Amino acid sequence: MKFKLLIDGHLVDGVASLDVINPADGKVFAKCARANSEQLEEAISAARRSQPAWARLNHGERRAYIERLCDAIDSRHEEFARLLTREQGKPLQQARAEISGGMRRFRYYAALDCPAVVLRENETEQVIQYQSPLGILAAITPWNFPFSLLVSKIAPGLAAGNTIVAKPAPTTPLTTLLLGEIAAKILPPGVFNVIVDANDLGQQLTSHPDIAKISFTGSTETGRKVMQSAASTLKRLTLELGGNDAAIVLDDADVRDVARKVFDAAMLNAGQVCLAAKRVYVPTKMLDRFCDEVVALARDTVVGDGLDEATQMGPMQNRQQFEKVLQLIETAKTQGTVIAGGYALDRPGYFIAPTIVRALDDEADLVKSEQFGPVMPILSYDSLEDVIDRANATPFGLGATVWTSDYRRGVEVAKRLEVGTAWVNRHLDLAPDVPFGGAKQSGIGQENGIEGFKSVMQLKVLNVAKSGTP
Ligand code: NAD
């Protein structure tokens, strides 16, 4: 079998195999190794054995390992991108961008140091604050950005001196396994391990007493289970969860320009983005024009196999999500008016036409839940106070966007939104040095930036009396 698990530096077959489906045709295109509970236990043991030596390396030594890993991944960039498109479905251009973005993050953390801070140093005492690794990190990822979200966890984790057990989503395991195959030749055995499951090993991994931290990206529902599992040994947690981001168009916005940007914010990766624009609020007086613009964009979008360079939007990643989004669309037809799309494409694979719905009220299912598909509900508003209240009336708090010709007005609105990231006149600017995380039930903690680095380390204080007497 080509795609093997990585345990203790060895590429190994699983006790079973897992079919991987190309969502563009619904057919199995690869098989990969699937682990059982004993193999997960072996991976955790390997990570435990290798951790002290990895942590003892200095920053420069670990950096050299990680840079070599980055060079090896970069030399196979196109192979990664094509594999990502085949397992995930996204257009090749977006797959290439995901790999490049992930690699920028990898190199950012390889270079980042977190030096000790001397709080007090005098004749009698020395007090130093520094960061040490946590131990073993479990990196659990979803199926929408399998490569870049993995890197957000393992890059800071490895750079800080932790060892890793990574577990991708069962429908998108291949890019993670390819990374494991490359790491097997570069990193010391046990430092990085990859396990693939069929959604059946998460609980064992997240409750294991040897795991110091869980870095999890996925749904809010699974996030709650992870938090419960982690409680028995008080594990550190970063939870990057679901969202229902509002996009607020202000009454001074250039409708044509903003319609394009909001459409892209909603439809990127066929809407399968945690921070996609999932509810769009437009002033009543601009509603018809805005709708006309986005309907035209929806109709012009080239939907198809991501491997075709002309494709602008790919399929839903898996059958379950495909059916869930179609069900939401059916309900939306009874609660509002579908003005573009509203159907699955008549071809193999999990394709849904870009769909625009208006005349929904705030209680409609499509407005209240996370659709995670190419479906944009458009709502109208008349007062700014009202729209801010409605944008905040959700248990989610991942991100939001504000669109305006006067960025200062946009900033005033953005400050009042209860979210982890509020963008004004832009979206998806996820640079490696900018922390990202959710407010409310969209998550706990941050990834990226210094905050992401500190989240995989233990702050430790060395407090010394030089005299030798208390
Ligand atoms: P999911 O929660 O179903 O699965 C995520 C991962 O958790 C998978 O690897 C899965 O195998 C694993 N898992 C399943 N049960 C588990 C358990 N009991 N314990 C531990 N792990 C378990 O999510 P998904 O459907 O793969 O991804 C879509 C969701 O992810 C959406 O809600 C989306 O908003 C969210 N997401 C959030 C962010 C963010 O940064 N906030 C980014 C991307 C996706």
Side-chain angles (χ1 to χ4, degrees):
M1 183 172 302
K2 184 168 181 281
F3 296 102
K4 299 187 184 226
L5 310 172
L6 174 60
I7 300 176
D8 204 9
H10 303 291
L11 295 170
V12 296
D13 285 327
V15 291
S17 78
L18 198 69
D19 290 341
V20 185
I21 290 171
N22 179 348
D25 60 15
K27 294 196 177 120
V28 175
F29 77 99
K31 286 182 183 295
C32 75
R34 172 184 161 189
N36 67 1
S37 163
E38 286 74 36
Q39 286 180 311
L40 173 56
E41 194 60 47
E42 283 169 31
I44 296 171
S45 301
R48 187 180 55 230
R49 283 193 302 276
S50 62
Q51 203 271 329
W54 181 247
R56 272 196 304 274
L57 298 180
N58 65 34
H59 169 249
E61 290 166 331
R62 278 198 299 272
R63 178 178 182 173
Y65 273 112
I66 298 171
E67 295 279 5
R68 274 180 60 212
L69 181 61
C70 290
D71 292 344
I73 297 169
D74 272 337
S75 73
R76 295 170 73 174
H77 189 283
E78 186 63 12
E79 183 185 350
F80 266 100
R82 298 186 84 83
L83 189 63
L84 180 56
T85 289
R86 292 185 82 197
E87 70 173 348
Q88 205 283 329
K90 65 187 59 183
L92 206 41
Q93 240 185 16
Q94 291 175 26
R96 290 183 184 121
E98 180 174 342
I99 306 298
S100 304
M103 295 317 294
R104 275 196 294 281
R105 229 165 272 178
F106 230 140
R107 291 191 191 272
Y108 164 79
Y109 278 114
L112 198 63
D113 196 5
C114 203
V117 180
V118 179
L119 299 177
R120 266 182 251 154
E121 173 76 82
N122 54 44
E123 280 176 15
T124 60
E125 61 174 353
Q126 181 186 57
V127 183
I128 300 175
Q129 168 185 322
Y130 66 101
Q131 303 281 350
S132 64
L134 287 170
I136 309 174
L137 192 69
I140 303 178
T141 43
W143 45 257
N144 59 343
F145 288 87
F147 184 83
S148 58
L149 294 173
L150 174 75
V151 172
S152 290
K153 301 172 187 325
I154 68 174
L158 291 172
N162 302 284
T163 54
I164 312 264
V165 177
K167 196 206 80 59
T171 55
T172 53
L174 301 184
T175 39
T176 306
L177 290 170
L178 181 57
L179 199 154
E181 182 191 313
I182 294 171
K185 298 190 193 101
I186 294 172
L187 298 179
V191 165
F192 179 61
N193 305 273
V194 182
I195 286 295
V196 172
D197 72 345
N199 269 335
D200 55 344
L201 295 178
Q203 219 260 330
Q204 183 186 342
L205 180 58
T206 53
S207 60
H208 199 288
D210 289 348
I211 300 287
K213 159 144 193 175
I214 304 161
S215 187
F216 172 86
T217 301
S219 61
T220 297
E221 194 187 341
T222 313
R224 284 194 191 99
K225 292 186 196 158
V226 169
M227 200 167 172
Q228 276 171 349
S229 276
S232 60
T233 49
L234 288 181
K235 295 184 200 319
R236 276 48 180 166
L237 277 177
T238 299
L239 300 177
E240 298 281 2
L241 308 177
N244 190 9
D245 294 10
I248 302 177
V249 177
L250 299 191
D251 59 5
D252 59 10
D254 174 338
V255 172
R256 188 142 198 229
D257 175 50
V258 160
R260 162 95 259 169
K261 290 172 180 160
V262 172
F263 182 80
D264 289 346
M267 299 292 177
L268 179 82
N269 201 23
Q272 301 163 110
V273 183
C274 55
L275 46 90
K278 291 179 179 140
R279 303 173 278 153
V280 181
Y281 295 89
V282 180
T284 304
K285 65 175 185 182
M286 293 157 73
L287 186 68
D288 288 342
R289 271 188 303 141
F290 185 89
C291 286
D292 289 348
E293 292 290 342
V294 287
V295 165
L297 292 166
R299 291 194 177 140
D300 287 348
T301 301
V302 180
V303 182
D305 187 335
L307 286 178
D308 180 343
E309 297 274 0
T311 292
Q312 294 171 319
M313 184 188 289
M316 295 288 88
Q317 198 281 318
N318 56 71
R319 174 167 286 285
Q320 197 185 355
Q321 188 63 19
F322 176 64
E323 286 168 359
K324 184 185 148 199
V325 174
L326 286 177
Q327 183 54 53
L328 264 177
I329 292 175
E330 285 314 305
T331 309
K333 285 177 183 169
T334 67
Q335 297 176 332
T337 308
V338 174
I339 53 175
Y343 50 85
L345 298 199
D346 184 17
R347 56 175 285 177
Y350 310 138
F351 294 95
I352 295 177
T355 297
I356 315 287
V357 188
R358 63 182 283 183
L360 292 158
D361 71 37
D362 286 4
E363 295 307 307
D365 295 17
L366 185 57
V367 179
K368 293 199 85 166
S369 57
E370 183 185 37
Q371 64 270 51
F372 224 61
V375 190
M376 181 203 273
I378 303 177
L379 303 131
S380 63
Y381 74 89
D382 294 306
S383 104
L384 209 47
E385 289 304 314
D386 170 54
V387 77
I388 291 170
D389 286 347
R390 288 162 69 195
N392 286 335
T394 168
F396 292 110
L398 194 55
T401 51
V402 184
W403 304 91
T404 168
S405 297
D406 177 354
Y407 79 89
R408 284 168 293 249
R409 275 188 80 207
V411 167
E412 289 314 308
V413 174
K415 280 182 183 166
R416 294 178 58 190
L417 299 173
E418 297 162 356
V419 294
T421 303
W423 283 274
V424 177
N425 291 336
R426 69 197 323 190
H427 184 239
L428 268 184
D429 180 48
L430 295 172
D433 59 330
V434 179
F436 177 78
K440 303 200 280 190
Q441 292 183 36
S442 285
I444 294 178
Q446 280 85 27
E447 287 186 336
N448 301 332
I450 300 285
E451 280 73 11
F453 205 27
K454 287 185 177 167
S455 79
V456 290
M457 297 188 277
Q458 174 66 47
L459 188 150
K460 204 161 164 182
V461 172
L462 200 61
N463 196 325
V464 180
K466 293 183 176 173
S467 66
T469 49

